[in-house]
Amino acid sequence: MTVNKRIVLSSDHAAIDLRQAVAAHVSANGWEVVDIGPTTPESTHYPLHGKAAAQAVASGDCQLGIVLCGTGQGIMMAANKVPGIRCGVCSDAFSARMIRQHNDANMLSIGARVVGEGQALDIVDAFLTAEFEGGRHATRVDMIEGNEA
Ligand code: RB5
């Protein structure tokens, strides 16, 4: 169980409704949610929102982050450009569990045009309840970090 449970959420315009559903769900499960928007439906740019959420995690202000866009792909790419971020797109709970257990992912990305709300919440639960296994996986995660140098 995570002791200090603070999580940042962000999205682009394509995923506002799903982001708000995720925020309510995560909050109901005991997390302090830092929802950095956007809140209005105008078309916006996912790189901005992916970067802002990633910076909240990389700085240590939040332990984990969840970002969403239409496919989950663009905002994931933007988040992963911030040093220290390991963000994976997931459309299934197994992958969401594995990116925590094996890759020590600190951010999850979801495509609001790919999965429905029920599936998205299952994915979120899998991500938030799994723990990094360390060991040989830590060696590989260190190698990922080494690729940033
Ligand atoms: C916006 O139309 C869309 O391109 C965006 O939400 C996302 O799918 C990009 O990866």
Side-chain angles (χ1 to χ4, degrees), residues 37-106:
T39 55
T40 56
E42 293 83 29
S43 182
T44 182
H45 305 295
Y46 59 80
L48 300 174
H49 306 292
K51 180 179 179 181
Q55 286 175 329
V57 175
S59 70
D61 183 46
C62 293
Q63 288 73 54
L64 296 173
I66 299 176
V67 288
L68 310 93
C69 66
T71 60
Q73 300 290 348
I75 203 162
M76 174 274 290
M77 294 177 195
N80 276 319
K81 289 293 184 184
V82 175
I85 294 304
R86 292 177 299 283
C87 182
V89 181
C90 293
S91 299
D92 62 277
F94 172 76
S95 298
R97 188 163 63 249
M98 294 305 289
I99 65 170
R100 288 287 301 128
Q101 290 181 347
H102 285 195
N103 312 118
D104 199 18
N106 48 17

Side-chain angles (χ1 to χ4, degrees), residues 123-147:
I123 291 166
V124 167
D125 286 344
F127 180 73
L128 295 182
T129 56
E131 299 280 350
F132 182 48
E133 292 178 354
R136 69 185 188 282
H137 303 298
T139 302
R140 295 164 185 162
V141 171
D142 287 346
M143 291 170 73
I144 294 174
E145 298 304 302
N147 286 352

